[in-house]
Amino acid sequence: MRRMYRHYRKLQDETTPYEFDAFVVYSSNDTTLVKDTLVQFLEKDNDFKLCLHQRDFRAGENIVDNIIDAICKSREVVIVITQEYLDSQWGKFEIDMSRMQLHQRNKNMLILIMLEDIPYQRMPDSLKHIWQVIICLEIDENLFQLNIIDQNSMFGKRLFESLKT
């Protein structure tokens, strides 16, 4: 009997409690846009609980541990994509850790918000390998420049629905 259940592992179901609805990662150059626009729409207007590194990371703890912990404690990972983010070492690390979690959970939990028009050919291989299983949203540049995301915009509806499920 013991041999029969030796490799048994209970599967996580959708009732797994997460501390955060989403961990939002982005380039430091996009901090103002994310805090003023994305946080306003998701947290204040729609009651999602976000994990943001400058607010929710534990002081004095290794940044790598903070990133991994934030990904594990979040139901979704939202990555705000710009070329600068893709070129950064932390961006590559966050994408790799998110990919690993995506495979461990065996569910789509990665949402990309494209702030720049970056051709697929210029995407890192780590994203190309999972391109078919992630949610990719392109934001209307005018909305982001005006710090407006709302339920009436197509982007707002898609982002809300992606996080709600």
Side-chain angles (χ1 to χ4, degrees):
M1 184 68 116
R2 207 174 357 178
R3 231 180 297 145
M4 189 165 92
Y5 291 106
R6 181 174 40 184
H7 299 291
Y8 171 78
R9 204 169 42 126
K10 185 176 179 176
L11 296 174
Q12 287 185 339
D13 57 7
E14 288 302 310
T15 60
T16 302
Y18 292 103
E19 187 175 334
F20 301 102
D21 292 307
F23 173 41
V24 181
V25 295
Y26 50 91
S27 165
S28 59
N29 283 356
D30 300 316
T31 299
T32 304
L33 293 173
V34 169
K35 286 172 64 178
D36 292 348
T37 306
L38 207 56
V39 171
Q40 174 68 40
F41 175 71
L42 293 175
E43 281 192 333
K44 296 179 177 129
D45 298 345
N46 289 294
D47 294 324
F48 287 109
K49 186 171 183 191
L50 303 179
C51 178
L52 303 170
H53 68 271
Q54 73 269 49
R55 180 184 70 191
D56 299 305
F57 277 13
R58 289 180 303 277
E61 189 166 319
N62 186 312
I63 190 167
V64 170
D65 294 334
N66 268 316
I67 291 170
I68 292 169
D69 197 40
I71 291 170
C72 291
K73 288 181 176 181
S74 300
R75 188 170 37 83
E76 309 283 340
V77 176
V78 176
I79 303 177
V80 179
I81 298 287
T82 58
Q83 191 60 56
E84 182 177 332
Y85 177 81
L86 292 176
D87 292 339
S88 76
Q89 289 302 314
W90 288 118
K92 291 173 185 161
F93 179 76
E94 289 163 337
I95 290 170
D96 287 342
M97 292 300 103
S98 298
R99 282 182 56 217
M100 186 174 69
Q101 194 64 258
L102 181 138
H103 292 299
Q104 285 178 349
R105 292 184 194 176
N106 196 25
K107 84 172 213 63
N108 183 2
M109 42 76 73
L110 193 57
I111 300 169
L112 301 184
I113 297 177
M114 305 294 291
L115 289 188
E116 296 176 1
D117 185 20
I118 301 171
Y120 177 79
Q121 297 78 10
R122 291 188 55 212
M123 292 284 178
D125 288 340
S126 55
L127 280 180
K128 288 179 186 177
H129 293 298
I130 59 171
W131 194 254
Q132 300 304 317
V133 296
I134 59 177
I135 296 170
C136 185
L137 303 173
E138 292 183 47
I139 190 164
D140 180 353
E141 193 173 314
N142 295 332
L143 291 178
F144 224 56
Q145 287 177 349
L146 296 171
N147 290 335
I148 300 171
I149 299 177
D150 61 19
Q151 295 290 78
N152 297 324
S153 69
M154 183 60 73
F155 175 81
K157 289 176 186 176
R158 289 184 175 166
L159 180 59
F160 178 80
E161 287 300 317
S162 299
L163 284 172
K164 190 175 85 168
T165 57

